Short mmCIF file of all heavy atoms in Angstrom, two decimals:
data_model
loop_
_atom_site.label_atom_id
_atom_site.label_comp_id
_atom_site.label_asym_id
_atom_site.label_seq_id
_atom_site.Cartn_x
_atom_site.Cartn_y
_atom_site.Cartn_z
N MET P 1 -154.53 193.63 -50.71
CA MET P 1 -154.22 192.45 -51.49
C MET P 1 -153.87 191.32 -50.55
O MET P 1 -153.10 191.49 -49.62
CB MET P 1 -153.05 192.74 -52.43
CG MET P 1 -152.66 191.57 -53.26
SD MET P 1 -151.49 192.03 -54.55
CE MET P 1 -149.98 191.43 -53.83
N THR P 2 -154.43 190.14 -50.81
CA THR P 2 -154.14 188.96 -50.02
C THR P 2 -153.10 188.12 -50.74
O THR P 2 -153.23 187.86 -51.94
CB THR P 2 -155.42 188.11 -49.82
OG1 THR P 2 -156.40 188.92 -49.21
CG2 THR P 2 -155.14 186.90 -48.97
N ILE P 3 -152.10 187.70 -50.02
CA ILE P 3 -151.05 186.88 -50.61
C ILE P 3 -151.49 185.42 -50.58
O ILE P 3 -151.92 184.92 -49.55
CB ILE P 3 -149.73 187.05 -49.84
CG1 ILE P 3 -149.25 188.49 -49.97
CG2 ILE P 3 -148.67 186.07 -50.35
CD1 ILE P 3 -148.04 188.82 -49.14
N ASN P 4 -151.42 184.75 -51.72
CA ASN P 4 -151.76 183.33 -51.79
C ASN P 4 -150.61 182.50 -51.21
O ASN P 4 -149.45 182.78 -51.51
CB ASN P 4 -151.98 182.89 -53.24
CG ASN P 4 -153.32 183.33 -53.76
OD1 ASN P 4 -154.30 183.34 -53.04
ND2 ASN P 4 -153.37 183.67 -55.02
N PRO P 5 -150.94 181.47 -50.44
CA PRO P 5 -149.87 180.59 -49.97
C PRO P 5 -149.29 179.79 -51.13
O PRO P 5 -149.98 179.53 -52.13
CB PRO P 5 -150.58 179.67 -48.97
CG PRO P 5 -152.02 179.73 -49.33
CD PRO P 5 -152.25 181.07 -49.96
N ILE P 6 -148.05 179.42 -51.04
CA ILE P 6 -147.36 178.71 -52.11
C ILE P 6 -148.07 177.42 -52.49
O ILE P 6 -148.06 177.00 -53.64
CB ILE P 6 -145.87 178.46 -51.75
CG1 ILE P 6 -145.09 177.95 -52.96
CG2 ILE P 6 -145.74 177.51 -50.58
CD1 ILE P 6 -144.97 178.94 -54.08
N GLU P 7 -148.75 176.77 -51.53
CA GLU P 7 -149.43 175.52 -51.82
C GLU P 7 -150.49 175.68 -52.91
O GLU P 7 -150.79 174.73 -53.64
CB GLU P 7 -150.09 174.96 -50.55
CG GLU P 7 -149.11 174.50 -49.50
CD GLU P 7 -148.60 175.65 -48.63
OE1 GLU P 7 -149.13 176.77 -48.71
OE2 GLU P 7 -147.66 175.41 -47.85
N ARG P 8 -151.06 176.85 -53.05
CA ARG P 8 -152.08 177.07 -54.07
C ARG P 8 -151.49 177.09 -55.48
O ARG P 8 -152.21 176.97 -56.45
CB ARG P 8 -152.82 178.38 -53.81
CG ARG P 8 -153.66 178.27 -52.53
CD ARG P 8 -154.65 179.35 -52.42
NE ARG P 8 -155.50 179.37 -53.60
CZ ARG P 8 -156.42 180.29 -53.81
NH1 ARG P 8 -156.60 181.25 -52.93
NH2 ARG P 8 -157.15 180.28 -54.88
N LEU P 9 -150.18 177.22 -55.58
CA LEU P 9 -149.53 177.23 -56.87
C LEU P 9 -149.21 175.82 -57.37
O LEU P 9 -148.93 175.63 -58.55
CB LEU P 9 -148.23 178.05 -56.81
CG LEU P 9 -148.40 179.51 -56.45
CD1 LEU P 9 -147.04 180.18 -56.33
CD2 LEU P 9 -149.28 180.24 -57.45
N ASP P 10 -149.24 174.85 -56.47
CA ASP P 10 -148.95 173.47 -56.85
C ASP P 10 -150.11 172.93 -57.68
O ASP P 10 -151.27 173.21 -57.38
CB ASP P 10 -148.75 172.62 -55.61
CG ASP P 10 -147.89 171.41 -55.86
OD1 ASP P 10 -147.40 171.26 -56.99
OD2 ASP P 10 -147.70 170.62 -54.93
N VAL P 11 -149.81 172.19 -58.74
CA VAL P 11 -150.86 171.67 -59.62
C VAL P 11 -150.74 170.15 -59.73
O VAL P 11 -149.65 169.60 -59.60
CB VAL P 11 -150.79 172.30 -61.03
CG1 VAL P 11 -151.03 173.78 -60.99
CG2 VAL P 11 -149.48 171.99 -61.71
N PRO P 12 -151.86 169.47 -59.98
CA PRO P 12 -151.80 168.02 -60.17
C PRO P 12 -150.95 167.66 -61.39
O PRO P 12 -150.86 168.42 -62.36
CB PRO P 12 -153.26 167.62 -60.42
CG PRO P 12 -154.07 168.76 -59.88
CD PRO P 12 -153.22 169.98 -60.04
N THR P 13 -150.34 166.49 -61.35
CA THR P 13 -149.47 166.04 -62.44
C THR P 13 -150.19 166.03 -63.78
O THR P 13 -149.61 166.42 -64.80
CB THR P 13 -148.90 164.64 -62.12
OG1 THR P 13 -148.20 164.72 -60.88
CG2 THR P 13 -147.96 164.16 -63.20
N ALA P 14 -151.44 165.61 -63.81
CA ALA P 14 -152.19 165.56 -65.07
C ALA P 14 -152.31 166.95 -65.70
O ALA P 14 -152.17 167.10 -66.92
CB ALA P 14 -153.57 164.96 -64.85
N LEU P 15 -152.54 167.96 -64.88
CA LEU P 15 -152.64 169.33 -65.40
C LEU P 15 -151.28 169.81 -65.90
O LEU P 15 -151.19 170.45 -66.95
CB LEU P 15 -153.18 170.27 -64.32
CG LEU P 15 -153.35 171.73 -64.73
CD1 LEU P 15 -154.25 171.86 -65.95
CD2 LEU P 15 -153.92 172.53 -63.57
N LEU P 16 -150.24 169.47 -65.19
CA LEU P 16 -148.89 169.83 -65.62
C LEU P 16 -148.57 169.20 -66.97
O LEU P 16 -148.07 169.87 -67.88
CB LEU P 16 -147.87 169.37 -64.57
CG LEU P 16 -146.41 169.63 -64.86
CD1 LEU P 16 -146.14 171.13 -64.89
CD2 LEU P 16 -145.54 168.96 -63.83
N GLU P 17 -148.92 167.92 -67.14
CA GLU P 17 -148.68 167.25 -68.41
C GLU P 17 -149.49 167.88 -69.54
O GLU P 17 -149.00 168.01 -70.66
CB GLU P 17 -149.01 165.76 -68.28
CG GLU P 17 -148.00 165.02 -67.40
CD GLU P 17 -148.43 163.62 -67.06
OE1 GLU P 17 -149.58 163.22 -67.34
OE2 GLU P 17 -147.59 162.89 -66.49
N GLU P 18 -150.71 168.32 -69.23
CA GLU P 18 -151.54 168.99 -70.23
C GLU P 18 -150.92 170.32 -70.65
O GLU P 18 -150.88 170.66 -71.83
CB GLU P 18 -152.93 169.23 -69.64
CG GLU P 18 -153.90 169.87 -70.59
CD GLU P 18 -155.26 170.08 -69.94
OE1 GLU P 18 -155.73 169.17 -69.24
OE2 GLU P 18 -155.83 171.17 -70.15
N GLN P 19 -150.41 171.08 -69.67
CA GLN P 19 -149.77 172.36 -69.97
C GLN P 19 -148.53 172.16 -70.84
O GLN P 19 -148.29 172.93 -71.78
CB GLN P 19 -149.41 173.08 -68.67
CG GLN P 19 -150.61 173.55 -67.89
CD GLN P 19 -150.23 174.05 -66.51
OE1 GLN P 19 -149.15 173.80 -65.99
NE2 GLN P 19 -151.17 174.76 -65.88
N ILE P 20 -147.77 171.12 -70.56
CA ILE P 20 -146.58 170.83 -71.35
C ILE P 20 -146.97 170.45 -72.77
O ILE P 20 -146.33 170.88 -73.75
CB ILE P 20 -145.72 169.74 -70.67
CG1 ILE P 20 -145.11 170.30 -69.38
CG2 ILE P 20 -144.64 169.22 -71.61
CD1 ILE P 20 -144.44 169.28 -68.50
N ALA P 21 -148.03 169.66 -72.92
CA ALA P 21 -148.49 169.25 -74.27
C ALA P 21 -148.91 170.48 -75.08
O ALA P 21 -148.60 170.57 -76.28
CB ALA P 21 -149.64 168.26 -74.14
N VAL P 22 -149.59 171.42 -74.44
CA VAL P 22 -150.00 172.64 -75.14
C VAL P 22 -148.77 173.43 -75.59
O VAL P 22 -148.71 173.93 -76.72
CB VAL P 22 -150.91 173.50 -74.23
CG1 VAL P 22 -151.11 174.90 -74.80
CG2 VAL P 22 -152.25 172.81 -74.02
N LEU P 23 -147.79 173.52 -74.72
CA LEU P 23 -146.56 174.25 -75.07
C LEU P 23 -145.79 173.55 -76.18
O LEU P 23 -145.24 174.21 -77.07
CB LEU P 23 -145.67 174.43 -73.84
CG LEU P 23 -146.15 175.49 -72.85
CD1 LEU P 23 -145.43 175.34 -71.52
CD2 LEU P 23 -145.93 176.88 -73.43
N ARG P 24 -145.76 172.22 -76.16
CA ARG P 24 -145.07 171.49 -77.23
C ARG P 24 -145.76 171.71 -78.58
O ARG P 24 -145.10 171.87 -79.62
CB ARG P 24 -144.99 170.00 -76.91
CG ARG P 24 -144.02 169.68 -75.79
CD ARG P 24 -143.82 168.17 -75.66
NE ARG P 24 -143.25 167.78 -74.39
CZ ARG P 24 -141.96 167.82 -74.08
NH1 ARG P 24 -141.11 168.28 -74.96
NH2 ARG P 24 -141.53 167.43 -72.90
N ALA P 25 -147.10 171.73 -78.57
CA ALA P 25 -147.85 172.00 -79.81
C ALA P 25 -147.57 173.41 -80.30
O ALA P 25 -147.38 173.65 -81.50
CB ALA P 25 -149.34 171.79 -79.57
N SER P 26 -147.54 174.36 -79.37
CA SER P 26 -147.23 175.74 -79.72
C SER P 26 -145.82 175.85 -80.30
O SER P 26 -145.60 176.53 -81.30
CB SER P 26 -147.36 176.64 -78.49
OG SER P 26 -146.94 177.95 -78.75
N GLN P 27 -144.90 175.13 -79.70
CA GLN P 27 -143.52 175.15 -80.16
C GLN P 27 -143.43 174.60 -81.59
O GLN P 27 -142.72 175.17 -82.44
CB GLN P 27 -142.67 174.32 -79.20
CG GLN P 27 -141.19 174.48 -79.37
CD GLN P 27 -140.42 173.72 -78.31
OE1 GLN P 27 -140.77 172.62 -77.93
NE2 GLN P 27 -139.34 174.33 -77.83
N ALA P 28 -144.16 173.54 -81.87
CA ALA P 28 -144.16 172.96 -83.22
C ALA P 28 -144.75 173.93 -84.24
O ALA P 28 -144.22 174.08 -85.35
CB ALA P 28 -144.92 171.64 -83.23
N ARG P 29 -145.85 174.61 -83.86
CA ARG P 29 -146.45 175.60 -84.77
C ARG P 29 -145.47 176.73 -85.07
O ARG P 29 -145.30 177.14 -86.21
CB ARG P 29 -147.74 176.18 -84.16
CG ARG P 29 -148.94 175.29 -84.28
CD ARG P 29 -150.23 176.01 -83.90
NE ARG P 29 -150.19 176.68 -82.61
CZ ARG P 29 -150.44 176.10 -81.44
NH1 ARG P 29 -150.76 174.81 -81.40
NH2 ARG P 29 -150.40 176.78 -80.32
N HIS P 30 -144.82 177.23 -84.02
CA HIS P 30 -143.86 178.32 -84.21
C HIS P 30 -142.67 177.88 -85.06
O HIS P 30 -142.17 178.65 -85.87
CB HIS P 30 -143.40 178.88 -82.87
CG HIS P 30 -144.44 179.63 -82.14
ND1 HIS P 30 -145.06 180.75 -82.65
CD2 HIS P 30 -145.01 179.44 -80.92
CE1 HIS P 30 -145.95 181.21 -81.78
NE2 HIS P 30 -145.94 180.43 -80.73
N ALA P 31 -142.24 176.65 -84.85
CA ALA P 31 -141.12 176.13 -85.65
C ALA P 31 -141.50 176.06 -87.12
O ALA P 31 -140.70 176.43 -87.99
CB ALA P 31 -140.70 174.76 -85.14
N ALA P 32 -142.72 175.62 -87.40
CA ALA P 32 -143.19 175.53 -88.78
C ALA P 32 -143.26 176.91 -89.44
O ALA P 32 -143.08 177.04 -90.65
CB ALA P 32 -144.56 174.86 -88.83
N LEU P 33 -143.52 177.93 -88.62
CA LEU P 33 -143.61 179.30 -89.14
C LEU P 33 -142.25 180.01 -89.16
O LEU P 33 -142.13 181.14 -89.63
CB LEU P 33 -144.58 180.12 -88.29
CG LEU P 33 -146.05 179.68 -88.34
CD1 LEU P 33 -146.86 180.42 -87.29
CD2 LEU P 33 -146.61 179.92 -89.74
N GLY P 34 -141.23 179.34 -88.60
CA GLY P 34 -139.90 179.93 -88.58
C GLY P 34 -139.72 181.00 -87.52
O GLY P 34 -138.82 181.83 -87.61
N ASN P 35 -140.57 180.98 -86.50
CA ASN P 35 -140.50 181.97 -85.43
C ASN P 35 -139.62 181.44 -84.30
O ASN P 35 -140.11 180.91 -83.30
CB ASN P 35 -141.91 182.30 -84.94
CG ASN P 35 -141.94 183.50 -84.03
OD1 ASN P 35 -140.91 183.89 -83.49
ND2 ASN P 35 -143.11 184.07 -83.86
N GLU P 36 -138.32 181.59 -84.48
CA GLU P 36 -137.36 180.99 -83.56
C GLU P 36 -137.47 181.52 -82.12
O GLU P 36 -137.29 180.77 -81.17
CB GLU P 36 -135.94 181.20 -84.09
CG GLU P 36 -134.91 180.43 -83.29
CD GLU P 36 -133.53 180.46 -83.91
OE1 GLU P 36 -133.43 180.54 -85.14
OE2 GLU P 36 -132.57 180.40 -83.14
N GLN P 37 -137.75 182.80 -81.96
CA GLN P 37 -137.86 183.37 -80.62
C GLN P 37 -138.98 182.71 -79.82
O GLN P 37 -138.83 182.43 -78.63
CB GLN P 37 -138.09 184.88 -80.68
CG GLN P 37 -136.87 185.65 -81.13
CD GLN P 37 -137.15 187.14 -81.22
OE1 GLN P 37 -138.25 187.55 -81.58
NE2 GLN P 37 -136.15 187.93 -80.90
N GLU P 38 -140.10 182.43 -80.48
CA GLU P 38 -141.21 181.78 -79.79
C GLU P 38 -140.91 180.31 -79.52
O GLU P 38 -141.35 179.76 -78.50
CB GLU P 38 -142.51 181.92 -80.59
CG GLU P 38 -143.05 183.33 -80.62
CD GLU P 38 -143.38 183.88 -79.24
OE1 GLU P 38 -143.89 183.12 -78.38
OE2 GLU P 38 -143.14 185.08 -79.02
N VAL P 39 -140.17 179.67 -80.41
CA VAL P 39 -139.75 178.29 -80.17
C VAL P 39 -138.90 178.23 -78.90
O VAL P 39 -139.11 177.35 -78.05
CB VAL P 39 -138.95 177.73 -81.38
CG1 VAL P 39 -138.34 176.37 -81.07
CG2 VAL P 39 -139.85 177.64 -82.61
N VAL P 40 -137.98 179.16 -78.77
CA VAL P 40 -137.12 179.20 -77.58
C VAL P 40 -137.94 179.52 -76.34
O VAL P 40 -137.77 178.90 -75.29
CB VAL P 40 -135.98 180.23 -77.77
CG1 VAL P 40 -135.22 180.44 -76.48
CG2 VAL P 40 -135.05 179.78 -78.89
N ALA P 41 -138.87 180.47 -76.44
CA ALA P 41 -139.71 180.83 -75.29
C ALA P 41 -140.54 179.64 -74.83
O ALA P 41 -140.65 179.38 -73.62
CB ALA P 41 -140.61 182.02 -75.64
N ASP P 42 -141.14 178.93 -75.78
CA ASP P 42 -141.91 177.74 -75.41
C ASP P 42 -141.01 176.70 -74.75
O ASP P 42 -141.39 176.06 -73.76
CB ASP P 42 -142.59 177.13 -76.64
CG ASP P 42 -143.75 177.95 -77.16
OD1 ASP P 42 -144.35 178.72 -76.37
OD2 ASP P 42 -144.07 177.83 -78.36
N GLY P 43 -139.82 176.51 -75.30
CA GLY P 43 -138.87 175.56 -74.72
C GLY P 43 -138.47 175.94 -73.31
O GLY P 43 -138.38 175.08 -72.43
N ASP P 44 -138.26 177.23 -73.08
CA ASP P 44 -137.92 177.69 -71.73
C ASP P 44 -139.07 177.41 -70.77
O ASP P 44 -138.85 176.98 -69.63
CB ASP P 44 -137.62 179.19 -71.73
CG ASP P 44 -136.28 179.52 -72.39
OD1 ASP P 44 -135.47 178.59 -72.62
OD2 ASP P 44 -136.06 180.71 -72.68
N ALA P 45 -140.31 177.66 -71.20
CA ALA P 45 -141.47 177.42 -70.34
C ALA P 45 -141.60 175.93 -70.02
O ALA P 45 -141.87 175.55 -68.87
CB ALA P 45 -142.74 177.93 -71.02
N ILE P 46 -141.38 175.08 -71.02
CA ILE P 46 -141.43 173.64 -70.79
C ILE P 46 -140.37 173.23 -69.78
O ILE P 46 -140.64 172.47 -68.85
CB ILE P 46 -141.25 172.87 -72.12
CG1 ILE P 46 -142.46 173.08 -73.03
CG2 ILE P 46 -141.00 171.39 -71.86
CD1 ILE P 46 -142.25 172.64 -74.47
N TYR P 47 -139.18 173.75 -69.94
CA TYR P 47 -138.08 173.42 -69.03
C TYR P 47 -138.41 173.83 -67.59
O TYR P 47 -138.18 173.07 -66.65
CB TYR P 47 -136.79 174.09 -69.50
CG TYR P 47 -135.57 173.61 -68.76
CD1 TYR P 47 -134.97 172.40 -69.11
CD2 TYR P 47 -135.02 174.33 -67.72
CE1 TYR P 47 -133.86 171.93 -68.44
CE2 TYR P 47 -133.90 173.88 -67.04
CZ TYR P 47 -133.33 172.68 -67.40
OH TYR P 47 -132.23 172.21 -66.73
N MET P 48 -138.98 175.00 -67.43
CA MET P 48 -139.33 175.46 -66.08
C MET P 48 -140.43 174.60 -65.46
O MET P 48 -140.43 174.35 -64.26
CB MET P 48 -139.71 176.93 -66.10
CG MET P 48 -138.51 177.84 -66.30
SD MET P 48 -138.90 179.58 -66.17
CE MET P 48 -139.68 179.89 -67.74
N LEU P 49 -141.39 174.16 -66.28
CA LEU P 49 -142.44 173.28 -65.76
C LEU P 49 -141.88 171.92 -65.34
O LEU P 49 -142.33 171.33 -64.36
CB LEU P 49 -143.55 173.09 -66.80
CG LEU P 49 -144.47 174.29 -67.02
CD1 LEU P 49 -145.37 174.05 -68.23
CD2 LEU P 49 -145.31 174.57 -65.78
N LEU P 50 -140.90 171.44 -66.09
CA LEU P 50 -140.30 170.15 -65.77
C LEU P 50 -139.30 170.22 -64.61
O LEU P 50 -138.98 169.20 -64.00
CB LEU P 50 -139.60 169.57 -67.01
CG LEU P 50 -140.54 169.15 -68.14
CD1 LEU P 50 -139.73 168.78 -69.38
CD2 LEU P 50 -141.41 167.99 -67.71
N HIS P 51 -138.79 171.42 -64.33
CA HIS P 51 -137.76 171.59 -63.29
C HIS P 51 -138.11 172.75 -62.36
O HIS P 51 -137.39 173.76 -62.31
CB HIS P 51 -136.40 171.82 -63.94
CG HIS P 51 -135.96 170.70 -64.81
ND1 HIS P 51 -135.43 169.54 -64.30
CD2 HIS P 51 -136.01 170.53 -66.16
CE1 HIS P 51 -135.16 168.71 -65.30
NE2 HIS P 51 -135.50 169.29 -66.43
N PRO P 52 -139.21 172.63 -61.59
CA PRO P 52 -139.60 173.74 -60.71
C PRO P 52 -138.56 174.07 -59.64
O PRO P 52 -138.50 175.19 -59.15
CB PRO P 52 -140.90 173.26 -60.09
CG PRO P 52 -140.84 171.77 -60.18
CD PRO P 52 -140.09 171.49 -61.45
N GLU P 53 -137.71 173.10 -59.33
CA GLU P 53 -136.68 173.33 -58.32
C GLU P 53 -135.67 174.38 -58.77
O GLU P 53 -134.97 174.97 -57.95
CB GLU P 53 -135.98 172.01 -57.97
CG GLU P 53 -135.04 171.49 -59.03
CD GLU P 53 -135.71 170.74 -60.18
OE1 GLU P 53 -136.95 170.64 -60.24
OE2 GLU P 53 -134.96 170.24 -61.05
N LEU P 54 -135.61 174.65 -60.06
CA LEU P 54 -134.67 175.65 -60.58
C LEU P 54 -135.24 177.06 -60.56
O LEU P 54 -134.53 178.02 -60.83
CB LEU P 54 -134.27 175.29 -62.01
CG LEU P 54 -133.61 173.92 -62.19
CD1 LEU P 54 -133.34 173.64 -63.66
CD2 LEU P 54 -132.33 173.83 -61.37
N CYS P 55 -136.53 177.17 -60.25
CA CYS P 55 -137.19 178.48 -60.28
C CYS P 55 -137.18 179.19 -58.93
O CYS P 55 -137.63 180.33 -58.83
CB CYS P 55 -138.64 178.32 -60.75
SG CYS P 55 -138.77 177.63 -62.41
N SER P 56 -136.72 178.51 -57.90
CA SER P 56 -136.66 179.12 -56.57
C SER P 56 -135.65 178.35 -55.73
O SER P 56 -135.09 177.36 -56.17
CB SER P 56 -138.04 179.08 -55.90
OG SER P 56 -138.41 177.73 -55.66
N THR P 57 -135.45 178.82 -54.52
CA THR P 57 -134.57 178.12 -53.59
C THR P 57 -135.40 177.71 -52.37
O THR P 57 -136.51 178.20 -52.15
CB THR P 57 -133.42 179.01 -53.11
OG1 THR P 57 -133.96 180.07 -52.31
CG2 THR P 57 -132.64 179.60 -54.29
N ASP P 58 -134.87 176.83 -51.57
CA ASP P 58 -135.57 176.40 -50.36
C ASP P 58 -135.85 177.59 -49.44
O ASP P 58 -136.86 177.62 -48.74
CB ASP P 58 -134.75 175.36 -49.60
CG ASP P 58 -134.69 174.03 -50.32
OD1 ASP P 58 -135.57 173.78 -51.17
OD2 ASP P 58 -133.76 173.25 -50.04
N ALA P 59 -134.97 178.58 -49.46
CA ALA P 59 -135.17 179.76 -48.61
C ALA P 59 -136.38 180.58 -49.05
O ALA P 59 -136.99 181.26 -48.23
CB ALA P 59 -133.92 180.62 -48.64
N ASP P 60 -136.74 180.51 -50.35
CA ASP P 60 -137.90 181.26 -50.84
C ASP P 60 -139.20 180.73 -50.26
O ASP P 60 -140.11 181.49 -49.95
CB ASP P 60 -137.98 181.20 -52.37
CG ASP P 60 -136.83 181.90 -53.05
OD1 ASP P 60 -136.33 182.90 -52.49
OD2 ASP P 60 -136.44 181.46 -54.15
N TYR P 61 -139.32 179.41 -50.15
CA TYR P 61 -140.56 178.76 -49.70
C TYR P 61 -140.22 177.63 -48.73
O TYR P 61 -140.32 176.46 -49.08
CB TYR P 61 -141.34 178.21 -50.89
CG TYR P 61 -141.58 179.24 -51.96
CD1 TYR P 61 -140.84 179.25 -53.14
CD2 TYR P 61 -142.53 180.24 -51.79
CE1 TYR P 61 -141.05 180.21 -54.12
CE2 TYR P 61 -142.75 181.20 -52.75
CZ TYR P 61 -142.00 181.18 -53.92
OH TYR P 61 -142.22 182.13 -54.88
N PRO P 62 -139.86 177.96 -47.50
CA PRO P 62 -139.45 176.93 -46.54
C PRO P 62 -140.57 175.91 -46.30
O PRO P 62 -141.73 176.25 -46.15
CB PRO P 62 -139.13 177.72 -45.28
CG PRO P 62 -139.71 179.06 -45.46
CD PRO P 62 -139.88 179.29 -46.92
N GLY P 63 -140.18 174.64 -46.32
CA GLY P 63 -141.12 173.57 -46.02
C GLY P 63 -142.00 173.14 -47.18
O GLY P 63 -142.83 172.25 -47.04
N TRP P 64 -141.85 173.75 -48.35
CA TRP P 64 -142.70 173.39 -49.49
C TRP P 64 -141.91 172.58 -50.50
O TRP P 64 -140.75 172.86 -50.76
CB TRP P 64 -143.23 174.65 -50.17
CG TRP P 64 -144.10 174.37 -51.36
CD1 TRP P 64 -145.38 173.91 -51.33
CD2 TRP P 64 -143.77 174.51 -52.74
NE1 TRP P 64 -145.87 173.77 -52.61
CE2 TRP P 64 -144.88 174.13 -53.50
CE3 TRP P 64 -142.62 174.91 -53.41
CZ2 TRP P 64 -144.90 174.15 -54.88
CZ3 TRP P 64 -142.64 174.94 -54.80
CH2 TRP P 64 -143.77 174.57 -55.52
N ALA P 65 -142.54 171.55 -51.06
CA ALA P 65 -141.92 170.74 -52.10
C ALA P 65 -142.89 170.61 -53.25
O ALA P 65 -144.07 170.33 -53.04
CB ALA P 65 -141.57 169.36 -51.55
N PRO P 66 -142.45 170.81 -54.51
CA PRO P 66 -143.32 170.65 -55.65
C PRO P 66 -143.97 169.26 -55.65
O PRO P 66 -143.31 168.27 -55.38
CB PRO P 66 -142.41 170.81 -56.86
CG PRO P 66 -141.26 171.60 -56.35
CD PRO P 66 -141.09 171.19 -54.92
N GLY P 67 -145.26 169.21 -55.91
CA GLY P 67 -145.96 167.94 -55.92
C GLY P 67 -146.35 167.44 -54.55
O GLY P 67 -146.82 166.33 -54.40
N GLY P 68 -146.17 168.28 -53.54
CA GLY P 68 -146.48 167.89 -52.17
C GLY P 68 -147.97 167.69 -51.94
O GLY P 68 -148.80 167.90 -52.81
N THR P 69 -148.31 167.24 -50.76
CA THR P 69 -149.71 166.99 -50.43
C THR P 69 -150.45 168.29 -50.24
O THR P 69 -149.86 169.32 -49.92
CB THR P 69 -149.82 166.16 -49.14
OG1 THR P 69 -149.19 166.88 -48.09
CG2 THR P 69 -149.16 164.81 -49.31
N ARG P 70 -151.74 168.24 -50.46
CA ARG P 70 -152.57 169.43 -50.30
C ARG P 70 -153.18 169.47 -48.93
O ARG P 70 -153.49 168.54 -48.33
CB ARG P 70 -153.67 169.44 -51.35
CG ARG P 70 -153.08 169.62 -52.71
CD ARG P 70 -154.19 169.83 -53.73
NE ARG P 70 -153.59 170.05 -55.01
CZ ARG P 70 -153.35 171.26 -55.52
NH1 ARG P 70 -153.67 172.31 -54.87
NH2 ARG P 70 -152.78 171.38 -56.67
#
């Protein structure tokens, strides 16, 4: 197995915004159906996409910054 460098995980802002829009739509559908667990899960995913700095520490990926150059 080949390990992917962390830089390959970085995505363009437009794609990030698209992913967030999909999750917000999913969250609204789940809310309409009364599926609270999925509403919370979608909200957690949105939060992590908006705050990648909370998903790791500098020690995990030295020298890498979200949104950095390719």
Side-chain angles (χ1 to χ4, degrees):
M1 179 170 103
T2 303
I3 296 174
N4 283 324
I6 190 66
E7 292 83 9
R8 292 195 56 185
L9 299 176
D10 205 3
V11 297
T13 302
L15 181 56
L16 179 66
E17 290 170 351
E18 182 180 317
Q19 292 170 344
I20 291 170
V22 168
L23 284 165
R24 288 189 197 278
S26 174
Q27 193 175 39
R29 282 191 308 276
H30 290 300
L33 295 171
N35 191 341
E36 188 172 329
Q37 289 178 324
E38 291 299 322
V39 171
V40 171
D42 288 335
D44 288 347
I46 291 167
Y47 190 80
M48 287 186 283
L49 287 171
L50 292 172
H51 300 282
E53 73 280 3
L54 301 176
C55 300
S56 65
T57 67
D58 290 339
D60 294 328
Y61 308 104
W64 179 75
T69 59
R70 293 188 178 264

